[in-house]
Amino acid sequence: MASSVTWDGLRDLARFRAGKGCSISLYLDLDPSISPTPKDASSRINSLIEEVEKSEAANRPELTHEQREGLRADVERLRGFFDQEFSREGARGYAVFSAGLDNVWQDLPLSESVPDAVKVGPTFYLAPLVPLVGRGEGAIVTVVGRERGDLYQLRAGRLEELEEHFHEQRGRHDQGGWSQSRYQRHIEKHVLEHLRDVAERLDRQVRRLRGPRIVVVSSEEIRAEFEEEISNEVRGAIIGWTTAEAHASPPELLEVVGPVLAGWRVEQESEAVERWREEAGRNGRAAAGWAQTLEAASDGRVELLLYQDGADRAAWECPACGRLGSDGGTCPLDGTQMEASEAGLDLACHQTLAHGGTIWAVRERHDLEPVEGIGAVLRY
């Protein structure tokens, strides 16, 4: 089953810096259109592992004998993992992070595809994982009807059941000697009790999970009744309503919920970009372009890093203190010669994550194009 990518998980990976050897980051695209058969995936896995062995970082003359042996051991572990342990079931992408001399190994089956990539260096390559965070992960899907009241949570691209509840209502044909109006009031009373119970259980889950987003699946008739029973906290967490067939399965529910989540993501993106535009427009707490953004990230001032999906360029990093720059030369803080990196976006992501910030890959808006595709909302 695919794993969840979270900000906390990325921050843990971002804080790592190899102290004894080198780190290896390997990404594998498992989209069926790219890797339709196990043979296709195996061939590309072998090519990626060979890239590790041929990489410039793995063949630097200054590496010690221990570090070279550590890299060889990591390569063999990668081969062994993909030969004996790897399973693509439920995954559309895969990421593996290895640094054997520093006792680090993490493999992540992913719910979305990622481009094939291999990086060897002192830190893990994290930029491909950033767009996978904040895409509705952890959202509660509530299916509510006159009898049904099921709660699911979106985890790694699947709906996992939190609670299932079925309250069978007596059919009209069972009314016996009751008058029609009296019997109908009896039924409606039980429906109301059922909806109230679902609302209470949803409220408990929202409090337990500390404010997740909510999508409610119901008929228009039930929506009107259910809205009257939910708490203000639940009402504020709902991002959309939709409908589905009465006995829809979790995969079928995910299909109807997907567009609601996608619409919410577009709204979130617009809010983030507009916030940046407002701050940048009045020369407030905003950075625009690579030079300003890399400097702010180095200072721990980035609250929200924004980049146009696909934007990247070379940047420089101080090997002593980690400070970033858009140009080479010596570090302005300690005079150490800065080292060039082709993955400037990854450097900015590392600094942002390590200082507790978040990141948004902008896909719908194009406001960042005039400023080299990158900017940030700052803490100060």
Side-chain angles (χ1 to χ4, degrees):
M1 181 180 293
S3 302
S4 302
V5 182
T6 66
W7 290 126
D8 286 343
L10 283 184
R11 289 188 184 103
D12 286 342
L13 289 168
R15 293 186 186 102
F16 172 78
R17 191 174 187 91
K20 298 179 180 179
C22 296
S23 67
I24 299 173
S25 306
L26 184 150
Y27 289 88
L28 176 65
D29 192 346
L30 292 175
D31 188 297
S33 64
I34 303 296
S35 304
T37 68
K39 184 177 179 180
D40 293 318
S42 179
S43 175
R44 289 176 37 252
I45 288 167
N46 289 332
S47 295
L48 289 168
I49 294 177
E50 288 176 6
E51 283 188 42
V52 175
E53 297 175 303
K54 296 176 182 177
S55 69
E56 180 181 347
N59 291 279
R60 294 173 66 171
E62 61 266 31
L63 291 182
T64 67
H65 175 73
E66 181 185 20
Q67 289 171 331
R68 294 181 188 281
E69 289 301 309
L71 272 171
R72 291 193 186 96
D74 283 342
V75 166
E76 289 307 308
R77 183 170 184 182
L78 283 169
R79 293 191 194 280
F81 171 78
F82 282 109
D83 285 343
Q84 302 168 24
E85 302 174 50
F86 168 69
S87 171
R88 65 181 293 174
E89 183 179 358
R92 294 179 64 87
Y94 221 97
V96 181
F97 304 100
S98 178
L101 291 180
D102 290 279
N103 296 312
V104 177
W105 171 276
Q106 187 168 352
D107 55 278
L108 289 173
L110 306 170
S111 59
E112 297 185 49
S113 63
V114 288
D116 285 355
V118 161
K119 299 288 183 182
V120 180
T123 60
F124 293 129
Y125 179 53
L126 303 180
L129 294 182
V130 168
L132 307 188
V133 189
R135 300 177 64 80
E137 181 71 11
I140 292 179
V141 175
T142 304
V143 185
V144 57
R146 293 176 67 87
E147 296 180 322
R148 188 176 180 183
D150 302 336
L151 305 182
Y152 300 89
Q153 187 174 32
L154 181 61
R155 301 284 294 173
R158 297 183 180 187
L159 289 181
E160 297 180 358
E161 187 177 285
L162 288 175
E163 297 184 38
E164 183 180 23
H165 183 70
F166 185 80
H167 188 130
E168 185 173 4
Q169 307 295 343
R170 296 177 61 183
R172 294 180 185 273
H173 62 280
D174 294 329
Q175 75 180 67
W178 290 26
S179 69
Q180 179 67 31
S181 60
R182 181 185 174 196
Y183 184 74
Q184 186 59 32
R185 288 196 299 272
H186 174 75
I187 292 296
E188 293 306 322
K189 177 177 178 292
H190 280 278
V191 171
L192 181 60
E193 290 174 351
H194 161 67
L195 296 179
R196 188 168 295 154
D197 176 65
V198 176
E200 290 174 354
R201 290 189 290 112
L202 179 57
D203 185 71
R204 287 196 296 270
Q205 290 289 356
V206 167
R207 295 176 188 277
R208 182 180 72 85
L209 297 172
R210 298 183 180 180
R213 302 298 90 190
I214 301 170
V215 178
V216 183
V217 181
S218 72
S219 67
E220 287 298 321
E221 176 189 5
I222 290 297
R223 172 177 176 172
E225 298 180 63
F226 189 59
E227 278 192 293
E228 294 182 2
E229 302 302 327
I230 59 178
S231 66
N232 289 332
E233 187 169 359
V234 169
R235 185 174 289 106
I238 293 176
I239 61 173
W241 300 71
T242 188
T243 60
E245 295 296 325
H247 302 290
S249 64
E252 292 169 332
L253 289 170
L254 191 56
E255 285 188 19
V256 301
V257 166
V260 178
L261 291 170
W264 173 72
R265 288 196 294 270
V266 171
E267 290 177 5
Q268 294 294 107
E269 178 175 305
S270 290
E271 289 178 9
V273 172
E274 287 300 327
R275 184 182 171 202
W276 171 79
R277 281 173 55 89
E278 181 181 350
E279 291 288 346
R282 58 186 179 88
N283 293 320
R285 293 181 299 175
W290 284 95
Q292 291 183 11
T293 303
L294 291 173
E295 179 182 3
S298 298
D299 293 336
R301 294 187 289 127
V302 173
E303 176 187 332
L304 173 63
L305 176 68
L306 297 163
Y307 69 91
Q308 203 76 45
D309 197 21
D312 205 353
R313 58 155 283 180
W316 278 259
E317 180 183 23
C318 174
C321 70
R323 188 166 186 82
L324 308 181
S326 57
D327 298 304
T330 58
C331 175
L333 297 185
D334 56 33
T336 304
Q337 188 67 34
M338 304 277 275
E339 295 183 350
S341 169
E342 295 180 358
L345 177 63
D346 190 62
L347 295 179
C349 288
H350 266 81
Q351 288 286 0
T352 299
L353 291 167
H355 290 96
T358 55
I359 309 167
W360 194 283
V362 179
R363 293 178 168 175
E364 304 296 329
R365 301 277 297 254
H366 301 281
D367 305 65
L368 292 166
E369 289 179 357
V371 293
E372 305 174 281
I374 195 167
V377 177
L378 307 180
R379 295 188 175 96
Y380 57 92

